[in-house]
Every structure is written in C-alpha cells, then in structure tokens.
C-alpha cells in the first residue's frame, strides 16, 4: 500500500513516522544521518574553508591597498572569488538537474527537535542577533587588523 492509502485506513500516525517520546510527526523518508553528515563534510565545510581563506587573504589585500583604485579592485576580486561557485552553478548545470535538486528536503530539523539547549539557542540567537553579529565581527576583524597592519 502506498502512503495515501495507509493514511486513509490507519490514520496519519501510520503513514508518518511518529516519535512517541516527543510527539513529533515526520515522514518516513528523507535525508538519512549519513547523507546529512556527507553533505556537511563535502559541501558545507569546503565552502566555509574557502570563505575563511578569502576573508584572511582578502583582508590583507584590502588593508594594504595603496590607493582607492586598488582598494575597489581588491574588494571586487574578493567578491568574485566568493561568488564564483554560484555563477558556475547557474551557468554550467542543466535545468533538469537544477529542477530535480530544488525538491530536496532541507537539512534543518523540526523546531521541536533538539532539546532544551537548541531551543534556548534559537530563542536567544534571534533575540540578540544584532549583538552577536557585532561581537563576531570584532572577534574576527580586530586580530586580522593587527596581523596585517602592524
């Protein structure tokens, strides 16, 4: 029987996997933990490494610019390197593959999953987002400034 027939016969709990402890109702198919870890390891971590590398190298080239022309040129070059993956995706991937990947489930989890720590982080992260961004900017930019300019 397919999921629609089962949901009509036995109720929604049989068609959707129900977690009895938390009462979370989720589909029985989706991204497995192994696939989720693979996405993080092979897609998100290299992207983050390139971004940190461009931040480090780009900050030095921007801070050591001799004139305004070089400053603008170095900023545009850093942005180009960061957006190169998106441009490559838009130009080289066929529309059929783009359409098939558009329907993939997201990597995030249901809001009720994660326990008290994740709930508190979500609550205070949105409440103090501005101050978290300011603090993160200071933590990253101040050491880079003293590294490149002293």
């Amino acid at each position: 029987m397919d999921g629609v027939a089962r949901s009509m016969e036995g109720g929604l709990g049989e068609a959707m996997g129900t977690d009895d402890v938390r009462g979370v109702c989720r589909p029985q198919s989706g991204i497995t933990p192994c696939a989720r870890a693979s996405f993080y390891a092979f897609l998100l971590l290299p992207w983050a490494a390139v971004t940190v590398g461009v931040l480090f190298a780009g900050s030095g080239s921007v801070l050591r610019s001799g004139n305004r022309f070089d400053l603008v040129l170095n900023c545009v070059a850093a942005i180009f390197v960061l957006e190169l993956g998106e441009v490559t995706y838009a130009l080289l991937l066929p529309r059929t593959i783009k359409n098939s990947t558009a329907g993939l489930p997201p990597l995030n989890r249901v809001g009720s999953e994660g326990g008290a720590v994740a709930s508190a982080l979500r609550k205070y992260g949105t409440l103090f987002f501005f101050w978290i961004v300011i603090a993160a900017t200071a933590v990253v930019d101040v050491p880079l400034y003293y590294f490149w300019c002293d």
Side-chain angles (χ1 to χ4, degrees):
M1 287 186 200
D2 59 350
V4 176
R6 284 196 304 157
S7 66
M8 291 172 60
E9 289 178 1
L12 188 59
E14 289 182 20
M16 307 283 282
T18 304
D19 189 353
D20 293 331
V21 176
R22 296 185 192 157
V24 176
C25 187
R26 59 184 136 192
Q28 292 180 348
S29 65
I31 297 176
T32 64
C34 181
R36 183 185 305 266
S38 300
F39 288 148
Y40 288 140
F42 296 114
L43 295 175
L44 295 180
L45 289 180
W47 174 83
V50 167
T51 303
V52 168
V54 169
L55 171 71
F56 185 74
S59 66
S61 64
V62 167
L63 289 173
R64 293 179 184 231
S65 298
N67 55 26
R68 291 180 183 168
F69 178 77
D70 288 340
L71 176 68
V72 172
L73 187 65
N74 291 334
C75 289
V76 170
I79 291 171
F80 173 75
V81 170
L82 287 177
E83 292 184 356
L84 193 59
E86 295 173 18
V87 171
T88 305
Y89 174 80
L91 290 177
L92 299 180
L93 223 57
R95 185 174 296 278
T96 55
I97 294 176
K98 289 180 195 175
N99 291 340
S100 65
T101 59
L104 291 175
L107 291 176
N108 57 359
R109 297 179 178 201
V110 179
S112 60
E113 290 181 319
V117 174
S119 176
L121 286 175
R122 195 175 305 113
K123 176 184 175 185
Y124 293 116
T126 55
L127 185 63
F128 298 112
F129 180 73
F130 175 75
W131 296 109
I132 292 171
V133 168
I134 295 296
T137 303
V139 165
V140 170
D141 288 346
V142 170
L144 284 176
Y145 176 79
Y146 284 113
F147 178 78
W148 286 112
C149 294
D150 282 342

